[in-house]
Amino acid sequence: MTLTDRYLKAVAAQLPKATRDDIIAELRDAIQTRMEDREESLGRPLSEAEQEAVLREVGHPLTVAARYGSGPQHVVGPELYPWWMFGVKVALVAMAAITVIGLVVRVFAGDMMAGQAIGHAFANVFNGAITIVGLATLAAFIIERQKEKPAFIRDWRVKDLGLFEIAAFDADSVSRALSENGPTQTGSSLGGAADRAQGRVRGMSSQMSPAARGVASAIAWAVFLLWWTGLLTTRDLRPIDLAVTIDGVSYSQLVIQTLGLIYWPVIAYALARIVFGLARAAMPGSVRLTGLGDLGLSVTRACFYGWLWMASPLSPLIRADSLQTMIERVATMVQTHDWALATILMLVVAIGFVTSLFEASGALWRLVTGKPSPGADRLKPSLV
């Protein structure tokens, strides 16, 4: 077997059977022509080393076979790469938010030291980042191999470009935020930096178009759904890992019971948020559509808070029979500086319920009138 035969055999192994023979015949003729031209220029037959040099000029068998392959020869192409990078950044921000909230709860509950929480936060974000990048790459791989690229790549509007301002919230932004107050006042500096960072995110959200908020919301809720179902693994952020007993009450058991009851409803709600976010991005000018979606989601949240208040395992701790009782509990907590967890949860649920009703009224206004809610410029909807 000659070197050319060995070379062509290696190439043929990488080709589809339907076109293998034709391609090999064409490639054999091209190689033979090169060999003959080289022999003519030298005036003698080629040595084995010179034949190998010619074959090396043709290219490695894997590379040559790829030239005859169908479809793109890349995972994420240059046209889709900026979208891939943007999606990864938004997803990582959502993952970091989930991680920070979970660990802050554990530190507040006294179940974990602050230094330990910081170490676990880095581990969680790193592990989550691997999953996010992998899923984003898989999605991009599938999109690249479609006959037509999605409409969001081909059709875009200048007024929707505020979406990409989220991608500017990167490590450099966080570093600048942490260094603005200097290194001498660590506690106040971190707190001020967090407030400024949150302000920047809110500012970007308020400037984004409905399409921008829809895409960002869909990505954020997709990350939450992956975390909720356990596909996005994290350390020490599961309720079962939380062992908190305050005033004789095992909050960990109550939370586990509550989450067991709402597991599937939360999945359904997250899927609805993802679908609604994509619908808002596809039809950003439809005020009534967004009003209908926001109305349904707001009413769902109000029902959830009402269930927590009236019938959940946490209800005996957080429910107040009257407004006066609620005010008295809050006043007692403030006067005694005894920040009872049950009272804090009561306030969170009550505020969430009232906020959901307020958002539902605004959504109903948009649905009926087809116009933005009064004060919409001051109260932009959040990403989630």
Side-chain angles (χ1 to χ4, degrees):
M1 181 180 293
T2 65
L3 290 180
T4 300
D5 291 334
R6 292 179 181 176
Y7 178 86
L8 292 175
K9 185 177 181 179
V11 174
Q14 317 305 320
L15 296 173
K17 292 183 179 181
T19 58
R20 180 181 300 169
D21 293 340
D22 293 339
I23 294 174
I24 292 301
E26 177 184 345
L27 191 57
R28 184 184 295 275
D29 291 340
I31 293 174
Q32 188 63 34
T33 300
R34 285 198 181 204
M35 296 283 191
E36 293 173 353
D37 291 343
R38 186 65 55 86
E39 288 178 345
E40 184 177 352
S41 65
L42 294 176
R44 58 176 176 79
L46 297 180
S47 66
E48 185 174 292
E50 291 169 336
Q51 292 179 26
E52 183 168 354
V54 172
L55 295 174
R56 289 174 63 88
E57 291 175 1
V58 176
H60 193 281
L62 292 176
T63 304
V64 173
R67 296 172 189 164
Y68 295 94
S70 59
Q73 302 299 322
H74 49 255
V75 177
V76 183
E79 184 181 16
L80 189 61
Y81 176 79
W83 292 88
W84 176 88
M85 178 59 70
F86 166 73
V88 168
K89 284 187 175 183
V90 174
L92 288 178
V93 169
M95 177 62 199
I98 292 173
T99 300
V100 170
I101 292 173
L103 292 174
V104 166
V105 170
R106 298 207 64 177
V107 172
F108 176 79
D111 191 50
M112 182 181 292
M113 301 298 293
Q116 184 183 10
I118 293 174
H120 285 197
F122 280 108
N124 286 331
V125 172
F126 178 77
N127 292 334
I130 293 176
T131 303
I132 287 172
V133 171
L135 292 175
T137 304
L138 176 61
F141 178 86
I142 295 173
I143 292 174
E144 283 286 5
R145 279 143 188 84
Q146 302 302 310
K147 291 183 179 180
E148 292 186 3
K149 293 293 189 297
F152 66 84
I153 295 180
R154 305 189 312 269
D155 304 327
W156 54 273
R157 300 181 304 176
V158 173
K159 65 179 182 179
D160 292 339
L161 296 182
L163 164 66
F164 298 96
E165 293 179 12
I166 293 180
F169 190 69
D170 52 15
D172 292 336
S173 302
V174 175
S175 298
R176 287 194 300 270
L178 292 176
S179 62
E180 283 184 2
N181 283 343
T184 57
Q185 299 176 344
T186 305
S188 61
S189 180
L190 289 175
D195 291 340
R196 287 190 297 275
Q198 186 178 15
R200 288 189 181 96
V201 173
R202 289 177 177 174
M204 287 186 291
S205 176
S206 66
Q207 295 173 7
M208 288 192 298
S209 67
R213 288 193 296 273
V215 172
S217 176
I219 293 174
W221 276 99
V223 172
F224 171 82
L225 184 60
L226 291 173
W227 170 78
W228 181 261
T229 56
L231 298 177
L232 189 60
T233 56
T234 56
R235 295 173 51 197
D236 304 316
L237 288 182
R238 300 173 304 168
I240 195 174
D241 297 321
L242 186 64
V244 180
T245 300
I246 301 176
D247 296 331
V249 178
S250 176
Y251 281 91
S252 56
Q253 292 301 318
L254 292 176
V255 171
I256 290 172
Q257 294 173 15
T258 302
L259 294 184
L261 293 172
I262 67 173
Y263 180 78
W264 289 107
V266 168
I267 290 178
Y269 180 80
L271 288 173
R273 293 303 305 246
I274 294 172
V275 172
F276 176 61
L278 295 176
R280 170 175 280 179
M283 296 174 284
S286 179
V287 176
R288 282 194 167 91
L289 173 65
T290 57
L292 177 62
D294 284 332
L295 178 62
L297 294 171
S298 299
V299 170
T300 300
R301 288 197 302 273
C303 292
F304 169 69
Y305 287 121
W307 174 80
L308 285 177
W309 186 274
M310 299 297 298
S312 73
L314 292 170
S315 177
L317 296 175
I318 64 177
R319 185 174 62 197
D321 295 331
S322 64
L323 180 59
Q324 181 179 357
T325 303
M326 182 186 301
I327 295 174
E328 289 175 354
R329 288 179 62 177
V330 175
T332 301
M333 181 180 67
V334 174
Q335 292 171 1
T336 61
H337 300 287
D338 181 14
W339 302 99
L341 182 56
T343 304
I344 294 175
L345 291 175
M346 177 193 72
L347 285 174
V348 170
V349 172
I351 292 173
F353 180 77
V354 173
T355 302
S356 298
L357 292 181
F358 180 79
E359 293 177 356
S361 65
L364 182 60
W365 169 276
R366 297 198 303 275
L367 177 62
V368 173
T369 65
K371 300 178 181 179
S373 306
D377 293 337
R378 298 187 302 273
L379 299 172
K380 293 286 186 179
S382 63
L383 294 181
V384 295

